[in-house]
């Protein structure tokens, strides 16, 4: 059966504020094949910029951060094409390493790339072994880092993460694959890193690491509420569209329902405004919202 992605429907009950930024998603254009070392392109029809614009209208999203997908590994061509297609409402997070030429970094920056991705899980193009080298290059340009790994091991990496010079975000609710609670030492480490002033925590892809499962994702929710209460000024949110780990229709989330669930872990409208507008502006360098965007 072909995977079918809903692109419209009943909007979320929680109304997203004007200027909302989706800080975690992928999109694809024809002509950019998957590269060796990564996964295949997403199942079903190619999740294109045109499809994503429909999702933006459905959910109430105004701006977007496009993250380089693992399928394309270190070839940022698809990302650049999508950024061109989306225009000024979009920023990008690319894959670079110590060997990326300065001329390529210039090209990425001109296309509105504002960050670099570290993905230390199967299929990732650049892992934690390159953390310091990528940080050095990103910090010179004022870029941020999106860092994803099995957060169960965060205590082993805390000292390195604490030394990062760039702004950076811990992706996907920390991806604590072994399971944690608000009382776990791993969550205490997240709070210490946030308190250093250059670390954010991303609400996105809760289903990828939840042990309790949907629709409530109680284990992820408990930690999310705790971290949000600790530092509401350091939370950002993303749809994780097009949900690349969903391989069949039964696994594919309802984007409106998932938005309501995840944003419900924030305590009030002021915290949602921070997570959806103000915090991503600070992390990704969007201009502050002035007046209505819709």
């Amino acid at each position: 059966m072909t995977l079918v992605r809903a692109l419209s429907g009943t909007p979320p009950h929680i109304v997203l504020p004007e200027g909302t930024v989706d800080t975690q998603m992928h999109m694809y254009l024809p002509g950019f094949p998957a590269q060796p070392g990564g996964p295949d392109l997403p199942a079903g029809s190619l999740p294109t910029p045109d499809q994503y614009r429909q999702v933006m209208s459905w959910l109430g999203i105004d701006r977007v951060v496009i993250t380089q997908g693992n399928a394309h590994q270190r070839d940022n061509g698809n990302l650049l094409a999508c950024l061109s297609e989306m225009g000024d409402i979009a920023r990008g997070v690319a894959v670079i390493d110590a060997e990326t030429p300065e001329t390529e970094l210039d090209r990425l920056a001109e296309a509105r790339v504002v960050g670099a991705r570290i993905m230390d899980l199967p299929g990732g193009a650049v892992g934690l072994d390159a953390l310091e080298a990528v940080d050095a290059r990103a910090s010179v340009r004022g870029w941020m880092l999106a860092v994803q790994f099995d957060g169960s091991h965060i205590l082993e990496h805390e000292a390195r993460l604490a030394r990062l010079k760039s702004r950076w975000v811990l992706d996907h609710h920390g991806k604590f694959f072994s399971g944690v609670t608000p009382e776990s030492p791993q969550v205490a480490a997240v709070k210490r890193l946030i308190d250093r002033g250059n670390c954010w925590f991303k609400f996105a892809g809760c289903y990828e690491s939840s042990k309790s499962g949907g629709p409530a994702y109680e284990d992820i929710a408990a930690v999310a509420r705790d971290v949000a209460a600790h530092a509401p000024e350091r939370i950002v949110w993303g749809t994780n569209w097009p949900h690349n780990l969903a391989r069949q229709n039964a696994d594919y989330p309802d984007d409106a329902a998932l938005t309501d669930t995840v944003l419900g872990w924030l305590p009030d409208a002021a915290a949602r405004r921070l997570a959806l507008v103000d915090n991503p502006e600070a992390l990704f360098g969007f201009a502050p919202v002035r007046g209505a965007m819709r």
Side-chain angles (χ1 to χ4, degrees):
M1 181 182 296
T2 302
L3 182 66
V4 178
R5 298 180 183 87
L7 304 175
S8 62
T10 302
H13 295 296
I14 295 174
V15 177
L16 278 58
E18 292 173 352
T20 286
V21 182
D22 178 357
T23 71
Q24 176 68 36
M25 60 78 62
H26 310 288
M27 63 175 65
Y28 305 83
L29 283 165
F32 298 94
Q35 299 296 306
D40 291 335
L41 290 170
S45 64
L46 203 63
T48 62
D50 283 343
Q51 287 190 0
Y52 180 70
R53 287 190 187 98
Q54 296 179 61
V55 175
M56 295 179 78
S57 178
W58 173 22
L59 302 182
I61 295 164
D62 293 304
R63 299 178 287 181
V64 61
V65 178
I66 309 169
T67 300
Q68 169 79 345
N70 289 330
H72 291 121
Q73 292 290 287
R74 303 181 191 211
D75 180 350
N76 293 295
N78 174 77
L79 173 64
L80 292 175
C82 289
L83 285 168
S84 177
E85 182 78 14
M86 293 301 294
D88 193 53
I89 64 168
R91 299 292 183 270
V93 174
V95 168
I96 66 169
D97 59 24
E99 308 305 319
T100 304
E102 288 294 331
T103 53
E104 175 66 4
L105 296 181
D106 290 341
R107 184 169 79 112
L108 293 170
E110 289 168 4
R112 298 184 310 280
V113 166
V114 296
R117 187 180 200 196
I118 297 290
M119 171 64 167
D120 201 71
L121 290 168
V126 174
L128 285 169
D129 57 338
L131 180 66
E132 287 80 7
V134 173
D135 177 46
R137 307 204 73 187
S139 65
V140 169
R141 291 177 175 263
W143 287 7
M144 53 76 67
L145 301 181
V147 182
Q148 186 176 160
F149 61 97
D150 182 352
S152 307
H153 306 297
I154 195 169
L155 296 175
E156 301 167 26
H157 304 300
E158 183 180 359
R160 297 175 66 197
L161 294 167
R163 290 193 292 268
L164 291 177
K165 295 175 285 186
S166 307
R167 303 181 313 283
W168 67 281
V169 61
L170 183 61
D171 265 347
H172 284 62
H173 295 276
K175 277 205 168 171
F176 301 107
F177 286 128
S178 296
V180 294
T181 70
E183 293 73 35
S184 297
Q186 291 90 344
V187 176
V190 170
K191 293 177 182 176
R192 288 193 296 270
L193 289 166
I194 287 173
D195 289 347
R196 297 187 66 84
N198 65 331
C199 173
W200 281 253
F201 187 83
K202 187 186 290 178
F203 283 19
C206 57
Y207 47 81
E208 293 187 4
S209 58
S210 175
K211 300 178 79 65
S212 60
Y217 308 102
E218 290 92 348
D219 53 344
I220 304 295
V223 173
R225 290 189 183 102
D226 185 62
V227 176
H230 177 76
E233 74 283 2
R234 286 292 181 266
I235 305 298
V236 295
W237 166 84
T239 60
N240 207 37
W241 192 86
H243 313 289
N244 283 342
L245 294 187
R247 293 295 173 180
Q248 53 187 351
N249 290 310
D251 295 333
Y252 202 85
D254 178 315
D255 280 286
L258 184 63
T259 296
D260 278 331
T261 295
V262 174
L263 296 185
W265 300 338
L266 296 163
D268 52 32
R272 289 195 294 273
R273 163 81 193 194
L274 285 172
L276 298 177
V277 182
D278 299 341
N279 298 346
E281 287 178 351
L283 177 58
F284 294 97
F286 284 98
V289 172
R290 290 185 175 87
M293 299 192 67
R294 294 198 284 272

